[in-house]
Amino acid sequence: PRFERRGDDLIVDLALSFPQLALGCKVKVPTIDGEQEIEIPAGTPSNTVFTLRSKGVPHLEARGRGDLHARVRVEVPKELSSRQRELLAALDATFKTQRQDSQDDDGSERGFFGRRRKKK
């Protein structure tokens, strides 16, 4: 893996799929000592950073080590099968329906801020 170094800390990017971030998963993070498994909670946004304490570079003039920061990124596939495309289109349609259900008849957003805007 390619590590980015900041002092005694290391940074590594983890390319995960949208379903992995949305549903949550366990992934193996590369460290300089081998792999370590971490749990990615459901609903984790892209660019979230998980810190593995003392998994970075050893300090030169002191005891201990830096940290390893694992940054999750959404990996967007360049090619999809027709079935994958069909499933993604169906999923997208549910999000559109959900967005429409959260609006009033005049198109304003429901909820606290939507109601406040509407009253003005």
Side-chain angles (χ1 to χ4, degrees), residues 61-99:
E61 297 183 19
R63 299 180 90 167
R65 298 170 77 163
D67 297 330
L68 183 131
H69 305 282
R71 181 174 43 207
V72 297
R73 306 255 180 169
V74 175
E75 182 177 54
V76 179
K78 294 187 188 294
E79 295 182 24
L80 296 171
S81 69
S82 58
R83 177 71 175 142
Q84 290 168 325
R85 188 174 300 282
E86 177 185 317
L87 290 169
L88 281 175
L91 177 61
D92 186 48
T94 66
F95 289 131
K96 288 177 184 173
T97 301
Q98 186 178 27
R99 284 191 297 271

PDB file of all heavy atoms in Angstrom, residues 61-99:
ATOM      1  N   GLU A  61      13.721   9.461  18.698  1.00  0.00           N
ATOM      2  CA  GLU A  61      14.455   9.752  19.936  1.00  0.00           C
ATOM      3  C   GLU A  61      13.590   9.569  21.181  1.00  0.00           C
ATOM      4  O   GLU A  61      13.890  10.128  22.225  1.00  0.00           O
ATOM      5  CB  GLU A  61      14.997  11.180  19.872  1.00  0.00           C
ATOM      6  CG  GLU A  61      15.997  11.333  18.736  1.00  0.00           C
ATOM      7  CD  GLU A  61      16.609  12.719  18.692  1.00  0.00           C
ATOM      8  OE1 GLU A  61      16.548  13.425  19.716  1.00  0.00           O
ATOM      9  OE2 GLU A  61      17.143  13.070  17.642  1.00  0.00           O
ATOM     10  N   ALA A  62      12.545   8.803  21.059  1.00  0.00           N
ATOM     11  CA  ALA A  62      11.668   8.561  22.202  1.00  0.00           C
ATOM     12  C   ALA A  62      10.983   7.214  22.007  1.00  0.00           C
ATOM     13  O   ALA A  62      11.082   6.589  20.954  1.00  0.00           O
ATOM     14  CB  ALA A  62      10.628   9.670  22.303  1.00  0.00           C
ATOM     15  N   ARG A  63      10.315   6.782  23.045  1.00  0.00           N
ATOM     16  CA  ARG A  63       9.574   5.527  22.944  1.00  0.00           C
ATOM     17  C   ARG A  63       8.248   5.794  22.264  1.00  0.00           C
ATOM     18  O   ARG A  63       7.745   6.896  22.240  1.00  0.00           O
ATOM     19  CB  ARG A  63       9.342   4.957  24.339  1.00  0.00           C
ATOM     20  CG  ARG A  63      10.628   4.657  25.069  1.00  0.00           C
ATOM     21  CD  ARG A  63      10.321   4.116  26.406  1.00  0.00           C
ATOM     22  NE  ARG A  63      10.221   2.660  26.261  1.00  0.00           N
ATOM     23  CZ  ARG A  63      10.197   1.829  27.268  1.00  0.00           C
ATOM     24  NH1 ARG A  63      10.207   2.291  28.493  1.00  0.00           N
ATOM     25  NH2 ARG A  63      10.130   0.540  27.064  1.00  0.00           N
ATOM     26  N   GLY A  64       7.666   4.725  21.746  1.00  0.00           N
ATOM     27  CA  GLY A  64       6.344   4.837  21.149  1.00  0.00           C
ATOM     28  C   GLY A  64       6.403   5.014  19.644  1.00  0.00           C
ATOM     29  O   GLY A  64       7.463   5.000  19.025  1.00  0.00           O
ATOM     30  N   ARG A  65       5.221   5.180  19.088  1.00  0.00           N
ATOM     31  CA  ARG A  65       5.072   5.304  17.642  1.00  0.00           C
ATOM     32  C   ARG A  65       4.004   6.333  17.323  1.00  0.00           C
ATOM     33  O   ARG A  65       3.156   6.644  18.148  1.00  0.00           O
ATOM     34  CB  ARG A  65       4.640   3.958  17.056  1.00  0.00           C
ATOM     35  CG  ARG A  65       5.649   2.852  17.258  1.00  0.00           C
ATOM     36  CD  ARG A  65       5.070   1.535  16.893  1.00  0.00           C
ATOM     37  NE  ARG A  65       5.029   1.399  15.440  1.00  0.00           N
ATOM     38  CZ  ARG A  65       4.883   0.238  14.825  1.00  0.00           C
ATOM     39  NH1 ARG A  65       4.751  -0.870  15.510  1.00  0.00           N
ATOM     40  NH2 ARG A  65       4.857   0.182  13.523  1.00  0.00           N
ATOM     41  N   GLY A  66       4.028   6.777  16.090  1.00  0.00           N
ATOM     42  CA  GLY A  66       2.970   7.652  15.602  1.00  0.00           C
ATOM     43  C   GLY A  66       1.707   6.843  15.349  1.00  0.00           C
ATOM     44  O   GLY A  66       1.648   5.636  15.617  1.00  0.00           O
ATOM     45  N   ASP A  67       0.712   7.494  14.812  1.00  0.00           N
ATOM     46  CA  ASP A  67      -0.573   6.857  14.528  1.00  0.00           C
ATOM     47  C   ASP A  67      -0.715   6.585  13.034  1.00  0.00           C
ATOM     48  O   ASP A  67      -0.017   7.179  12.217  1.00  0.00           O
ATOM     49  CB  ASP A  67      -1.727   7.755  14.980  1.00  0.00           C
ATOM     50  CG  ASP A  67      -1.729   7.999  16.481  1.00  0.00           C
ATOM     51  OD1 ASP A  67      -1.270   7.127  17.238  1.00  0.00           O
ATOM     52  OD2 ASP A  67      -2.187   9.088  16.891  1.00  0.00           O
ATOM     53  N   LEU A  68      -1.624   5.700  12.718  1.00  0.00           N
ATOM     54  CA  LEU A  68      -1.975   5.458  11.326  1.00  0.00           C
ATOM     55  C   LEU A  68      -3.409   5.950  11.139  1.00  0.00           C
ATOM     56  O   LEU A  68      -4.298   5.600  11.912  1.00  0.00           O
ATOM     57  CB  LEU A  68      -1.885   3.976  10.970  1.00  0.00           C
ATOM     58  CG  LEU A  68      -2.184   3.703   9.502  1.00  0.00           C
ATOM     59  CD1 LEU A  68      -1.102   2.817   8.901  1.00  0.00           C
ATOM     60  CD2 LEU A  68      -3.517   3.064   9.321  1.00  0.00           C
ATOM     61  N   HIS A  69      -3.614   6.791  10.133  1.00  0.00           N
ATOM     62  CA  HIS A  69      -4.941   7.338   9.846  1.00  0.00           C
ATOM     63  C   HIS A  69      -5.445   6.703   8.550  1.00  0.00           C
ATOM     64  O   HIS A  69      -4.831   6.863   7.500  1.00  0.00           O
ATOM     65  CB  HIS A  69      -4.876   8.854   9.707  1.00  0.00           C
ATOM     66  CG  HIS A  69      -4.274   9.524  10.910  1.00  0.00           C
ATOM     67  ND1 HIS A  69      -4.973   9.723  12.081  1.00  0.00           N
ATOM     68  CD2 HIS A  69      -3.031  10.012  11.130  1.00  0.00           C
ATOM     69  CE1 HIS A  69      -4.194  10.311  12.960  1.00  0.00           C
ATOM     70  NE2 HIS A  69      -3.004  10.500  12.401  1.00  0.00           N
ATOM     71  N   ALA A  70      -6.539   5.968   8.657  1.00  0.00           N
ATOM     72  CA  ALA A  70      -7.134   5.302   7.495  1.00  0.00           C
ATOM     73  C   ALA A  70      -8.318   6.148   7.029  1.00  0.00           C
ATOM     74  O   ALA A  70      -9.300   6.313   7.744  1.00  0.00           O
ATOM     75  CB  ALA A  70      -7.594   3.897   7.859  1.00  0.00           C
ATOM     76  N   ARG A  71      -8.191   6.701   5.824  1.00  0.00           N
ATOM     77  CA  ARG A  71      -9.224   7.572   5.254  1.00  0.00           C
ATOM     78  C   ARG A  71     -10.039   6.764   4.260  1.00  0.00           C
ATOM     79  O   ARG A  71      -9.493   6.186   3.325  1.00  0.00           O
ATOM     80  CB  ARG A  71      -8.542   8.763   4.580  1.00  0.00           C
ATOM     81  CG  ARG A  71      -9.464   9.768   3.961  1.00  0.00           C
ATOM     82  CD  ARG A  71      -8.705  10.983   3.444  1.00  0.00           C
ATOM     83  NE  ARG A  71      -7.498  10.602   2.744  1.00  0.00           N
ATOM     84  CZ  ARG A  71      -6.414  11.378   2.654  1.00  0.00           C
ATOM     85  NH1 ARG A  71      -6.382  12.560   3.213  1.00  0.00           N
ATOM     86  NH2 ARG A  71      -5.360  10.970   1.982  1.00  0.00           N
ATOM     87  N   VAL A  72     -11.368   6.710   4.463  1.00  0.00           N
ATOM     88  CA  VAL A  72     -12.228   5.950   3.553  1.00  0.00           C
ATOM     89  C   VAL A  72     -12.688   6.843   2.411  1.00  0.00           C
ATOM     90  O   VAL A  72     -13.006   8.016   2.619  1.00  0.00           O
ATOM     91  CB  VAL A  72     -13.431   5.293   4.270  1.00  0.00           C
ATOM     92  CG1 VAL A  72     -12.967   4.274   5.290  1.00  0.00           C
ATOM     93  CG2 VAL A  72     -14.328   6.318   4.925  1.00  0.00           C
ATOM     94  N   ARG A  73     -12.689   6.287   1.236  1.00  0.00           N
ATOM     95  CA  ARG A  73     -13.117   7.000   0.032  1.00  0.00           C
ATOM     96  C   ARG A  73     -14.095   6.115  -0.729  1.00  0.00           C
ATOM     97  O   ARG A  73     -13.912   4.903  -0.798  1.00  0.00           O
ATOM     98  CB  ARG A  73     -11.924   7.283  -0.881  1.00  0.00           C
ATOM     99  CG  ARG A  73     -10.794   7.995  -0.218  1.00  0.00           C
ATOM    100  CD  ARG A  73     -10.763   9.395  -0.637  1.00  0.00           C
ATOM    101  NE  ARG A  73      -9.653  10.068   0.035  1.00  0.00           N
ATOM    102  CZ  ARG A  73      -9.264  11.243  -0.288  1.00  0.00           C
ATOM    103  NH1 ARG A  73      -9.833  11.881  -1.263  1.00  0.00           N
ATOM    104  NH2 ARG A  73      -8.304  11.829   0.365  1.00  0.00           N
ATOM    105  N   VAL A  74     -15.110   6.732  -1.330  1.00  0.00           N
ATOM    106  CA  VAL A  74     -16.037   5.976  -2.164  1.00  0.00           C
ATOM    107  C   VAL A  74     -15.353   5.682  -3.491  1.00  0.00           C
ATOM    108  O   VAL A  74     -14.843   6.587  -4.147  1.00  0.00           O
ATOM    109  CB  VAL A  74     -17.341   6.760  -2.438  1.00  0.00           C
ATOM    110  CG1 VAL A  74     -18.229   5.992  -3.403  1.00  0.00           C
ATOM    111  CG2 VAL A  74     -18.080   7.013  -1.148  1.00  0.00           C
ATOM    112  N   GLU A  75     -15.320   4.431  -3.835  1.00  0.00           N
ATOM    113  CA  GLU A  75     -14.765   4.021  -5.123  1.00  0.00           C
ATOM    114  C   GLU A  75     -15.922   3.877  -6.106  1.00  0.00           C
ATOM    115  O   GLU A  75     -16.834   3.084  -5.886  1.00  0.00           O
ATOM    116  CB  GLU A  75     -14.019   2.690  -4.976  1.00  0.00           C
ATOM    117  CG  GLU A  75     -13.372   2.223  -6.243  1.00  0.00           C
ATOM    118  CD  GLU A  75     -12.597   0.938  -6.035  1.00  0.00           C
ATOM    119  OE1 GLU A  75     -13.196  -0.040  -5.533  1.00  0.00           O
ATOM    120  OE2 GLU A  75     -11.413   0.914  -6.361  1.00  0.00           O
ATOM    121  N   VAL A  76     -15.894   4.672  -7.162  1.00  0.00           N
ATOM    122  CA  VAL A  76     -16.950   4.638  -8.168  1.00  0.00           C
ATOM    123  C   VAL A  76     -16.465   3.769  -9.326  1.00  0.00           C
ATOM    124  O   VAL A  76     -15.437   4.063  -9.931  1.00  0.00           O
ATOM    125  CB  VAL A  76     -17.293   6.061  -8.670  1.00  0.00           C
ATOM    126  CG1 VAL A  76     -18.375   6.010  -9.731  1.00  0.00           C
ATOM    127  CG2 VAL A  76     -17.712   6.936  -7.499  1.00  0.00           C
ATOM    128  N   PRO A  77     -17.190   2.695  -9.639  1.00  0.00           N
ATOM    129  CA  PRO A  77     -16.752   1.819 -10.726  1.00  0.00           C
ATOM    130  C   PRO A  77     -16.844   2.516 -12.076  1.00  0.00           C
ATOM    131  O   PRO A  77     -17.771   3.297 -12.324  1.00  0.00           O
ATOM    132  CB  PRO A  77     -17.714   0.627 -10.646  1.00  0.00           C
ATOM    133  CG  PRO A  77     -18.902   1.132  -9.913  1.00  0.00           C
ATOM    134  CD  PRO A  77     -18.432   2.236  -9.019  1.00  0.00           C
ATOM    135  N   LYS A  78     -15.876   2.267 -12.931  1.00  0.00           N
ATOM    136  CA  LYS A  78     -15.873   2.849 -14.275  1.00  0.00           C
ATOM    137  C   LYS A  78     -16.819   2.103 -15.209  1.00  0.00           C
ATOM    138  O   LYS A  78     -17.348   2.673 -16.146  1.00  0.00           O
ATOM    139  CB  LYS A  78     -14.461   2.851 -14.842  1.00  0.00           C
ATOM    140  CG  LYS A  78     -13.521   3.771 -14.075  1.00  0.00           C
ATOM    141  CD  LYS A  78     -12.192   3.887 -14.765  1.00  0.00           C
ATOM    142  CE  LYS A  78     -11.193   4.634 -13.945  1.00  0.00           C
ATOM    143  NZ  LYS A  78     -11.479   6.017 -13.726  1.00  0.00           N
ATOM    144  N   GLU A  79     -17.011   0.825 -14.960  1.00  0.00           N
ATOM    145  CA  GLU A  79     -17.902   0.025 -15.795  1.00  0.00           C
ATOM    146  C   GLU A  79     -18.884  -0.735 -14.908  1.00  0.00           C
ATOM    147  O   GLU A  79     -18.530  -1.199 -13.838  1.00  0.00           O
ATOM    148  CB  GLU A  79     -17.099  -0.977 -16.623  1.00  0.00           C
ATOM    149  CG  GLU A  79     -16.179  -0.332 -17.638  1.00  0.00           C
ATOM    150  CD  GLU A  79     -15.425  -1.362 -18.469  1.00  0.00           C
ATOM    151  OE1 GLU A  79     -15.925  -2.501 -18.594  1.00  0.00           O
ATOM    152  OE2 GLU A  79     -14.347  -1.023 -18.958  1.00  0.00           O
ATOM    153  N   LEU A  80     -20.115  -0.838 -15.385  1.00  0.00           N
ATOM    154  CA  LEU A  80     -21.157  -1.579 -14.678  1.00  0.00           C
ATOM    155  C   LEU A  80     -21.782  -2.583 -15.630  1.00  0.00           C
ATOM    156  O   LEU A  80     -21.935  -2.304 -16.817  1.00  0.00           O
ATOM    157  CB  LEU A  80     -22.251  -0.628 -14.186  1.00  0.00           C
ATOM    158  CG  LEU A  80     -21.870   0.414 -13.150  1.00  0.00           C
ATOM    159  CD1 LEU A  80     -23.014   1.403 -12.956  1.00  0.00           C
ATOM    160  CD2 LEU A  80     -21.517  -0.247 -11.834  1.00  0.00           C
ATOM    161  N   SER A  81     -22.174  -3.711 -15.074  1.00  0.00           N
ATOM    162  CA  SER A  81     -22.930  -4.666 -15.884  1.00  0.00           C
ATOM    163  C   SER A  81     -24.344  -4.100 -16.049  1.00  0.00           C
ATOM    164  O   SER A  81     -24.754  -3.175 -15.332  1.00  0.00           O
ATOM    165  CB  SER A  81     -22.993  -6.028 -15.183  1.00  0.00           C
ATOM    166  OG  SER A  81     -23.802  -5.953 -14.022  1.00  0.00           O
ATOM    167  N   SER A  82     -25.101  -4.657 -16.970  1.00  0.00           N
ATOM    168  CA  SER A  82     -26.471  -4.168 -17.172  1.00  0.00           C
ATOM    169  C   SER A  82     -27.309  -4.389 -15.909  1.00  0.00           C
ATOM    170  O   SER A  82     -28.144  -3.558 -15.552  1.00  0.00           O
ATOM    171  CB  SER A  82     -27.119  -4.836 -18.386  1.00  0.00           C
ATOM    172  OG  SER A  82     -27.133  -6.235 -18.224  1.00  0.00           O
ATOM    173  N   ARG A  83     -27.075  -5.475 -15.201  1.00  0.00           N
ATOM    174  CA  ARG A  83     -27.806  -5.760 -13.956  1.00  0.00           C
ATOM    175  C   ARG A  83     -27.451  -4.733 -12.873  1.00  0.00           C
ATOM    176  O   ARG A  83     -28.323  -4.232 -12.162  1.00  0.00           O
ATOM    177  CB  ARG A  83     -27.491  -7.185 -13.484  1.00  0.00           C
ATOM    178  CG  ARG A  83     -28.141  -7.564 -12.169  1.00  0.00           C
ATOM    179  CD  ARG A  83     -29.624  -7.732 -12.311  1.00  0.00           C
ATOM    180  NE  ARG A  83     -30.177  -8.217 -11.055  1.00  0.00           N
ATOM    181  CZ  ARG A  83     -31.334  -7.831 -10.569  1.00  0.00           C
ATOM    182  NH1 ARG A  83     -32.094  -7.004 -11.242  1.00  0.00           N
ATOM    183  NH2 ARG A  83     -31.767  -8.302  -9.424  1.00  0.00           N
ATOM    184  N   GLN A  84     -26.164  -4.411 -12.745  1.00  0.00           N
ATOM    185  CA  GLN A  84     -25.739  -3.413 -11.764  1.00  0.00           C
ATOM    186  C   GLN A  84     -26.344  -2.044 -12.089  1.00  0.00           C
ATOM    187  O   GLN A  84     -26.810  -1.334 -11.203  1.00  0.00           O
ATOM    188  CB  GLN A  84     -24.210  -3.313 -11.723  1.00  0.00           C
ATOM    189  CG  GLN A  84     -23.545  -4.520 -11.111  1.00  0.00           C
ATOM    190  CD  GLN A  84     -22.050  -4.516 -11.337  1.00  0.00           C
ATOM    191  OE1 GLN A  84     -21.549  -4.075 -12.378  1.00  0.00           O
ATOM    192  NE2 GLN A  84     -21.312  -5.024 -10.359  1.00  0.00           N
ATOM    193  N   ARG A  85     -26.353  -1.692 -13.362  1.00  0.00           N
ATOM    194  CA  ARG A  85     -26.928  -0.419 -13.795  1.00  0.00           C
ATOM    195  C   ARG A  85     -28.422  -0.377 -13.456  1.00  0.00           C
ATOM    196  O   ARG A  85     -28.942   0.617 -12.953  1.00  0.00           O
ATOM    197  CB  ARG A  85     -26.705  -0.247 -15.293  1.00  0.00           C
ATOM    198  CG  ARG A  85     -27.099   1.119 -15.823  1.00  0.00           C
ATOM    199  CD  ARG A  85     -26.709   1.259 -17.289  1.00  0.00           C
ATOM    200  NE  ARG A  85     -25.296   1.109 -17.528  1.00  0.00           N
ATOM    201  CZ  ARG A  85     -24.364   2.048 -17.292  1.00  0.00           C
ATOM    202  NH1 ARG A  85     -24.740   3.199 -16.803  1.00  0.00           N
ATOM    203  NH2 ARG A  85     -23.098   1.830 -17.552  1.00  0.00           N
ATOM    204  N   GLU A  86     -29.117  -1.481 -13.706  1.00  0.00           N
ATOM    205  CA  GLU A  86     -30.549  -1.589 -13.415  1.00  0.00           C
ATOM    206  C   GLU A  86     -30.815  -1.428 -11.911  1.00  0.00           C
ATOM    207  O   GLU A  86     -31.722  -0.700 -11.503  1.00  0.00           O
ATOM    208  CB  GLU A  86     -31.042  -2.959 -13.904  1.00  0.00           C
ATOM    209  CG  GLU A  86     -32.478  -3.288 -13.632  1.00  0.00           C
ATOM    210  CD  GLU A  86     -32.791  -4.719 -14.048  1.00  0.00           C
ATOM    211  OE1 GLU A  86     -32.355  -5.160 -15.135  1.00  0.00           O
ATOM    212  OE2 GLU A  86     -33.478  -5.407 -13.274  1.00  0.00           O
ATOM    213  N   LEU A  87     -30.018  -2.100 -11.100  1.00  0.00           N
ATOM    214  CA  LEU A  87     -30.196  -2.015  -9.651  1.00  0.00           C
ATOM    215  C   LEU A  87     -29.903  -0.614  -9.123  1.00  0.00           C
ATOM    216  O   LEU A  87     -30.620  -0.104  -8.255  1.00  0.00           O
ATOM    217  CB  LEU A  87     -29.301  -3.048  -8.947  1.00  0.00           C
ATOM    218  CG  LEU A  87     -29.713  -4.505  -9.129  1.00  0.00           C
ATOM    219  CD1 LEU A  87     -28.628  -5.435  -8.621  1.00  0.00           C
ATOM    220  CD2 LEU A  87     -31.032  -4.774  -8.413  1.00  0.00           C
ATOM    221  N   LEU A  88     -28.865   0.029  -9.645  1.00  0.00           N
ATOM    222  CA  LEU A  88     -28.550   1.394  -9.215  1.00  0.00           C
ATOM    223  C   LEU A  88     -29.643   2.379  -9.622  1.00  0.00           C
ATOM    224  O   LEU A  88     -29.976   3.292  -8.870  1.00  0.00           O
ATOM    225  CB  LEU A  88     -27.199   1.840  -9.775  1.00  0.00           C
ATOM    226  CG  LEU A  88     -25.972   1.314  -9.029  1.00  0.00           C
ATOM    227  CD1 LEU A  88     -24.700   1.710  -9.748  1.00  0.00           C
ATOM    228  CD2 LEU A  88     -25.953   1.821  -7.597  1.00  0.00           C
ATOM    229  N   ALA A  89     -30.205   2.193 -10.810  1.00  0.00           N
ATOM    230  CA  ALA A  89     -31.300   3.054 -11.261  1.00  0.00           C
ATOM    231  C   ALA A  89     -32.519   2.882 -10.343  1.00  0.00           C
ATOM    232  O   ALA A  89     -33.182   3.861  -9.985  1.00  0.00           O
ATOM    233  CB  ALA A  89     -31.664   2.748 -12.709  1.00  0.00           C
ATOM    234  N   ALA A  90     -32.807   1.644  -9.952  1.00  0.00           N
ATOM    235  CA  ALA A  90     -33.931   1.383  -9.050  1.00  0.00           C
ATOM    236  C   ALA A  90     -33.667   2.020  -7.680  1.00  0.00           C
ATOM    237  O   ALA A  90     -34.575   2.618  -7.078  1.00  0.00           O
ATOM    238  CB  ALA A  90     -34.163  -0.116  -8.913  1.00  0.00           C
ATOM    239  N   LEU A  91     -32.452   1.920  -7.176  1.00  0.00           N
ATOM    240  CA  LEU A  91     -32.097   2.535  -5.906  1.00  0.00           C
ATOM    241  C   LEU A  91     -32.226   4.057  -6.001  1.00  0.00           C
ATOM    242  O   LEU A  91     -32.800   4.699  -5.118  1.00  0.00           O
ATOM    243  CB  LEU A  91     -30.671   2.155  -5.499  1.00  0.00           C
ATOM    244  CG  LEU A  91     -30.144   2.782  -4.220  1.00  0.00           C
ATOM    245  CD1 LEU A  91     -30.983   2.375  -3.021  1.00  0.00           C
ATOM    246  CD2 LEU A  91     -28.681   2.411  -4.007  1.00  0.00           C
ATOM    247  N   ASP A  92     -31.727   4.644  -7.080  1.00  0.00           N
ATOM    248  CA  ASP A  92     -31.825   6.087  -7.279  1.00  0.00           C
ATOM    249  C   ASP A  92     -33.279   6.544  -7.297  1.00  0.00           C
ATOM    250  O   ASP A  92     -33.620   7.589  -6.733  1.00  0.00           O
ATOM    251  CB  ASP A  92     -31.110   6.498  -8.565  1.00  0.00           C
ATOM    252  CG  ASP A  92     -31.062   8.004  -8.728  1.00  0.00           C
ATOM    253  OD1 ASP A  92     -30.700   8.697  -7.751  1.00  0.00           O
ATOM    254  OD2 ASP A  92     -31.375   8.488  -9.832  1.00  0.00           O
ATOM    255  N   ALA A  93     -34.148   5.767  -7.903  1.00  0.00           N
ATOM    256  CA  ALA A  93     -35.569   6.112  -7.950  1.00  0.00           C
ATOM    257  C   ALA A  93     -36.162   6.174  -6.545  1.00  0.00           C
ATOM    258  O   ALA A  93     -37.009   7.024  -6.264  1.00  0.00           O
ATOM    259  CB  ALA A  93     -36.339   5.111  -8.813  1.00  0.00           C
ATOM    260  N   THR A  94     -35.725   5.297  -5.643  1.00  0.00           N
ATOM    261  CA  THR A  94     -36.231   5.339  -4.268  1.00  0.00           C
ATOM    262  C   THR A  94     -35.773   6.599  -3.561  1.00  0.00           C
ATOM    263  O   THR A  94     -36.506   7.155  -2.750  1.00  0.00           O
ATOM    264  CB  THR A  94     -35.822   4.104  -3.441  1.00  0.00           C
ATOM    265  OG1 THR A  94     -34.407   4.104  -3.252  1.00  0.00           O
ATOM    266  CG2 THR A  94     -36.273   2.823  -4.092  1.00  0.00           C
ATOM    267  N   PHE A  95     -34.564   7.070  -3.850  1.00  0.00           N
ATOM    268  CA  PHE A  95     -34.086   8.323  -3.254  1.00  0.00           C
ATOM    269  C   PHE A  95     -34.889   9.504  -3.777  1.00  0.00           C
ATOM    270  O   PHE A  95     -35.223  10.409  -3.029  1.00  0.00           O
ATOM    271  CB  PHE A  95     -32.593   8.544  -3.531  1.00  0.00           C
ATOM    272  CG  PHE A  95     -31.695   7.616  -2.773  1.00  0.00           C
ATOM    273  CD1 PHE A  95     -30.689   6.921  -3.427  1.00  0.00           C
ATOM    274  CD2 PHE A  95     -31.834   7.425  -1.404  1.00  0.00           C
ATOM    275  CE1 PHE A  95     -29.844   6.071  -2.734  1.00  0.00           C
ATOM    276  CE2 PHE A  95     -30.987   6.572  -0.701  1.00  0.00           C
ATOM    277  CZ  PHE A  95     -29.996   5.896  -1.369  1.00  0.00           C
ATOM    278  N   LYS A  96     -35.208   9.507  -5.067  1.00  0.00           N
ATOM    279  CA  LYS A  96     -36.014  10.588  -5.637  1.00  0.00           C
ATOM    280  C   LYS A  96     -37.389  10.619  -4.995  1.00  0.00           C
ATOM    281  O   LYS A  96     -37.910  11.676  -4.652  1.00  0.00           O
ATOM    282  CB  LYS A  96     -36.127  10.433  -7.151  1.00  0.00           C
ATOM    283  CG  LYS A  96     -34.835  10.748  -7.871  1.00  0.00           C
ATOM    284  CD  LYS A  96     -34.956  10.519  -9.347  1.00  0.00           C
ATOM    285  CE  LYS A  96     -33.615  10.746 -10.029  1.00  0.00           C
ATOM    286  NZ  LYS A  96     -33.639  10.386 -11.434  1.00  0.00           N
ATOM    287  N   THR A  97     -38.000   9.456  -4.796  1.00  0.00           N
ATOM    288  CA  THR A  97     -39.309   9.369  -4.145  1.00  0.00           C
ATOM    289  C   THR A  97     -39.211   9.880  -2.717  1.00  0.00           C
ATOM    290  O   THR A  97     -40.066  10.623  -2.256  1.00  0.00           O
ATOM    291  CB  THR A  97     -39.808   7.902  -4.150  1.00  0.00           C
ATOM    292  OG1 THR A  97     -39.902   7.456  -5.505  1.00  0.00           O
ATOM    293  CG2 THR A  97     -41.150   7.771  -3.460  1.00  0.00           C
ATOM    294  N   GLN A  98     -38.153   9.529  -2.037  1.00  0.00           N
ATOM    295  CA  GLN A  98     -37.953   9.960  -0.657  1.00  0.00           C
ATOM    296  C   GLN A  98     -37.807  11.481  -0.586  1.00  0.00           C
ATOM    297  O   GLN A  98     -38.372  12.124   0.282  1.00  0.00           O
ATOM    298  CB  GLN A  98     -36.704   9.283  -0.089  1.00  0.00           C
ATOM    299  CG  GLN A  98     -36.454   9.519   1.369  1.00  0.00           C
ATOM    300  CD  GLN A  98     -35.220   8.776   1.850  1.00  0.00           C
ATOM    301  OE1 GLN A  98     -34.298   8.501   1.086  1.00  0.00           O
ATOM    302  NE2 GLN A  98     -35.200   8.442   3.114  1.00  0.00           N
ATOM    303  N   ARG A  99     -37.064  12.070  -1.533  1.00  0.00           N
ATOM    304  CA  ARG A  99     -36.914  13.530  -1.555  1.00  0.00           C
ATOM    305  C   ARG A  99     -38.250  14.205  -1.829  1.00  0.00           C
ATOM    306  O   ARG A  99     -38.587  15.210  -1.222  1.00  0.00           O
ATOM    307  CB  ARG A  99     -35.886  13.942  -2.613  1.00  0.00           C
ATOM    308  CG  ARG A  99     -34.455  13.695  -2.195  1.00  0.00           C
ATOM    309  CD  ARG A  99     -33.472  14.354  -3.150  1.00  0.00           C
ATOM    310  NE  ARG A  99     -33.533  13.822  -4.504  1.00  0.00           N
ATOM    311  CZ  ARG A  99     -32.826  12.781  -4.944  1.00  0.00           C
ATOM    312  NH1 ARG A  99     -32.004  12.138  -4.139  1.00  0.00           N
ATOM    313  NH2 ARG A  99     -32.926  12.384  -6.190  1.00  0.00           N
TER     314      ARG A  99
END
